[in-house]
Amino acid sequence: MTTLKLHNTRTRKKEVFEPLNKDDVRMYVCGPTVYDRAHLGNARPVVVFDVLYRLLRHVYGPDHVTYVRNFTDVDDKINARAAETGRDISDITAETTQWFLDDMGSLGALEPNEMPRATQYIPQMVTMIEKLIADGHAYAVEGHVLFRVRSYQDYGKLSGRSVDDMVAGARVEVAPYKEDPMDFVLWKPSDDTQPGWDSPWGRGRPGWHIECSAMSYELLGESFDIHGGGNDLMFPHHENEIAQSCCAHPEGSFAQVWMHNEMLQVEGKKMSKSLGNFFTVKDLLDQGIPGEVIRFVFLSTHYRKPMDWTAEKAREARGHLGGWHRFKRHALSDPDQTFTGKGVDDRIVQALADDLNTPLAISTLFKIAGEAKMSGSIDSDETIRLYESLAFLGFEKLDPHRLERSNAVNRAIDTVEVLSRLRNDFLEARSQAMQSKDFSKVDQLKAAIADAGVEVRMSKEDVELVPGPDFDPAKLEALK
Ligand code: AMP
Ligand code: ZN
């Protein structure tokens, strides 16, 4: 059996992976909060852990792996979105959940075995909170329940900080009812306009962290193998999950291996909704960039390294995938033949077995493609291995039509970049104008952007550039 090595955030080492039970390898990954389209950064953990899921299924057998990824469908950002739009919360969460599944499906991500939604697990959360109170790890006050951080000695071990450092450095919410500023919310009261459930502490709703503890316990048990997510979740979310789960179930040890992907960046900064420097997966798909291209670009960088999305990388990816697709017509007697990934080349498996070395797996694909070309015969073993390997890495649905629309794709990628650059220019010009009180440059820029059919939506802190129906990319080019 292939030996897997995975980097464990908890021990800060690459370790040989030994599942608790080879017949039931269990993985939990924190999923999205469903109030809006997923941005490209949100897709990174999905693709990273999809590769791991495929690898685990290959090594332990598809029926011996359970992958759980949640949907956070109760959250103040969702409430705010409902208030802004006048729509029902359940409509927003149902619609966004489906968008997420469709967009991630386009990137070749398999659906996890279980996709629990937080609102389906409220009774389990209440039970866990009651246990934490009974054992002195939490306290109820003014309709809130708070976790008593200092009751858990190992708090901070995952991210390697002491509680005192965290108090000094973190933006912890100080509230009069807290015993200690570090204590975090397990339950909070809801007013009539907010979603709420009856509980021993009155009508209220859960804090964010408790859902992952309750759902992973329910679906995977008190100890399981792998817990994943972006490294922005390490503190406080994952520290809090560990504290809740280990205190509520001291008989278990929660997750054995913690894996964290690094962030997707735009010009050196994390892509995030709050920074406004994001574009959605759907934006790229709508502009004609195939999901396979996005996936290929993601896999070209190791998951523990920050990665930049660039037009150049996407162009190259399209070129390689398009070439491999065209090669099918010459090298296979049936170019429409489908592949499952079962016959993957072992060098690819070995690359991934070394802490998901996807860049090495990609360069191995080039080697295999070279061998397939050299083989010179139709349906050669080498050629079959190439397409089996591509399928294993999640490129089983290579779509020739989409891949070959190269010019449209390149233009679309350029547009995304140009818009992002113009937005930065605009923000800079505006901040300079604020100081000099000379707004002529801002006005000129705004007029030129508007002339290209792009709406300029300004708020105090931000500016959004939204291409409208008369959008003319050629005019935008002139502004480059
Ligand atoms: P959120 O909806 O912000 O809670 O994020 C959902 C998932 O996306 C989490 O695993 C985050 O760590 C991850 N994530 C958010 N932004 C990025 C980014 N820029 N790069 C990589 N992962 C991200
Ligand atoms: Zn979580």
Side-chain angles (χ1 to χ4, degrees):
M1 186 178 278
T2 308
T3 303
L4 301 192
K5 285 193 194 146
L6 300 173
H7 183 270
N8 189 349
T9 310
R10 199 161 58 86
T11 57
R12 287 158 188 73
K13 284 199 207 98
K14 198 149 75 169
E15 296 169 345
V16 172
F17 175 63
E18 312 259 17
L20 295 166
N21 175 358
K22 284 189 166 50
D23 294 328
D24 186 17
V25 180
R26 287 157 290 163
M27 169 161 85
Y28 186 95
V29 175
C30 296
T33 305
V34 277
Y35 66 105
D36 210 346
R37 283 270 178 200
H39 63 65
L40 194 63
N42 296 138
R44 192 169 190 202
V46 174
V47 171
V48 165
F49 292 102
D50 179 64
V51 172
L52 180 55
Y53 180 44
R54 288 167 183 266
L55 178 66
L56 293 170
R57 284 163 60 96
H58 182 77
V59 174
Y60 298 98
D63 299 333
H64 301 290
V65 182
T66 309
Y67 172 21
V68 179
R69 187 184 64 217
N70 65 306
F71 282 110
T72 300
D73 62 349
V74 48
D75 184 274
D76 291 347
K77 290 194 278 282
I78 306 174
N79 304 344
R81 184 54 56 95
E84 273 159 41
T85 56
R87 295 181 64 198
D88 266 7
I89 286 184
S90 55
D91 284 351
I92 295 175
T93 57
E95 178 181 69
T96 320
T97 299
Q98 194 54 49
W99 282 347
F100 184 84
L101 293 174
D102 293 345
D103 293 348
M104 299 308 132
S106 306
L107 304 185
L110 302 174
E111 288 197 355
N113 304 87
E114 302 272 359
M115 296 189 278
R117 290 185 287 130
T119 52
Q120 296 169 324
Y121 288 79
I122 302 289
Q124 289 86 341
M125 294 187 222
V126 168
T127 304
M128 196 173 223
I129 296 172
E130 285 179 311
K131 173 104 187 351
L132 290 169
I133 295 177
D135 294 347
H137 292 295
Y139 54 97
V141 54
E142 296 178 23
H144 292 74
V145 182
L146 292 136
F147 187 90
R148 190 176 274 128
V149 165
R150 295 202 192 253
S151 77
Y152 179 58
Q153 277 211 334
D154 286 345
Y155 193 83
K157 279 224 166 132
L158 178 74
S159 52
R161 324 170 197 211
S162 76
V163 174
D164 293 322
D165 287 350
M166 285 189 258
V167 175
R171 286 178 299 165
V172 287
E173 192 193 347
V174 183
Y177 47 80
K178 280 188 182 182
E179 282 179 8
D180 185 299
M182 280 306 284
D183 294 350
F184 61 87
V185 172
L186 298 172
W187 189 264
K188 56 188 169 186
S190 292
D191 65 26
D192 291 344
T193 65
Q194 293 164 324
W197 290 262
D198 290 330
S199 81
W201 319 287
R203 185 173 173 279
R205 59 195 192 284
W208 168 33
H209 318 291
I210 192 72
E211 73 180 75
C212 291
S213 287
M215 294 190 287
S216 61
Y217 175 67
E218 187 73 15
L219 297 167
L220 299 176
E222 67 271 5
S223 311
F224 57 92
D225 298 297
I226 299 171
H227 192 312
N231 66 357
D232 56 334
L233 300 184
M234 209 186 296
F235 174 78
H237 184 53
H238 289 162
E239 292 288 3
N240 294 355
E241 280 189 35
I242 295 174
Q244 294 161 160
S245 293
C246 292
C247 291
H249 299 289
E251 71 283 12
S253 51
F254 199 41
Q256 313 304 298
V257 180
W258 282 85
M259 293 178 67
H260 291 99
N261 63 272
E262 252 291 354
M263 294 291 103
L264 185 88
Q265 304 186 330
V266 185
E267 290 165 35
K269 291 215 180 73
K270 172 187 168 185
M271 176 179 279
S272 82
K273 293 227 167 83
S274 53
L275 293 175
N277 62 350
F278 69 95
F279 37 88
T280 66
V281 174
K282 183 74 164 47
D283 290 336
L284 294 183
L285 296 171
D286 282 352
Q287 289 160 6
I289 301 172
E292 294 90 341
V293 167
I294 301 174
R295 186 177 179 97
F296 191 95
V297 172
F298 277 13
L299 298 192
S300 311
T301 300
H302 189 256
Y303 77 96
R304 286 197 290 117
K305 298 239 165 71
M307 80 161 282
D308 270 318
W309 169 266
T310 67
E312 190 50 34
K313 285 184 190 171
R315 247 191 297 271
E316 282 176 13
R318 191 212 57 76
H320 300 312
L321 289 170
W324 289 331
H325 189 78
R326 281 191 297 279
F327 181 62
K328 273 186 175 174
R329 277 186 242 135
H330 310 290
L332 291 174
S333 50
D334 172 13
D336 296 326
Q337 186 179 343
T338 53
F339 298 90
T340 61
K342 277 209 192 83
V344 55
D345 188 295
D346 194 50
R347 289 168 289 178
I348 299 268
V349 176
Q350 294 308 326
L352 298 184
D354 183 13
D355 193 30
L356 298 187
N357 192 342
T358 53
L360 180 59
I362 296 279
S363 62
T364 308
L365 271 183
F366 288 106
K367 268 194 206 149
I368 302 169
E371 291 161 9
K373 282 187 186 136
M374 292 291 288
S375 68
S377 61
I378 299 278
D379 298 331
S380 71
D381 289 351
E382 290 84 352
T383 299
I384 301 294
R385 255 203 312 273
L386 171 65
Y387 294 107
E388 284 289 348
S389 299
L390 276 163
F392 179 74
L393 287 168
F395 302 101
E396 55 268 83
K397 291 192 209 119
L398 274 186
D399 180 338
H401 305 297
R402 280 186 300 148
L403 284 169
E404 282 172 15
R405 283 190 306 165
S406 58
N407 290 336
V409 170
N410 286 348
R411 263 205 308 281
I413 297 170
D414 284 342
T415 302
V416 170
E417 279 210 340
V418 173
L419 281 175
S420 155
R421 194 153 352 112
L422 276 177
R423 181 178 158 274
N424 287 344
D425 290 352
F426 196 89
L427 285 169
E428 203 178 305
R430 189 170 67 169
S431 86
Q432 278 173 6
M434 300 282 220
Q435 308 216 322
S436 65
K437 305 284 176 239
D438 173 6
F439 283 85
S440 55
K441 191 167 168 218
V442 176
D443 291 339
Q444 267 171 18
L445 204 52
K446 193 172 166 192
I449 296 172
D451 189 46
V454 178
E455 190 193 338
V456 182
R457 288 187 195 158
M458 283 202 278
S459 64
K460 232 164 135 191
E461 272 93 35
D462 200 14
V463 60
E464 220 185 325
L465 302 183
V466 188
D470 303 325
F471 174 48
D472 180 354
K475 286 193 178 160
L476 208 56
E477 286 289 302
L479 291 174
K480 252 186 179 176

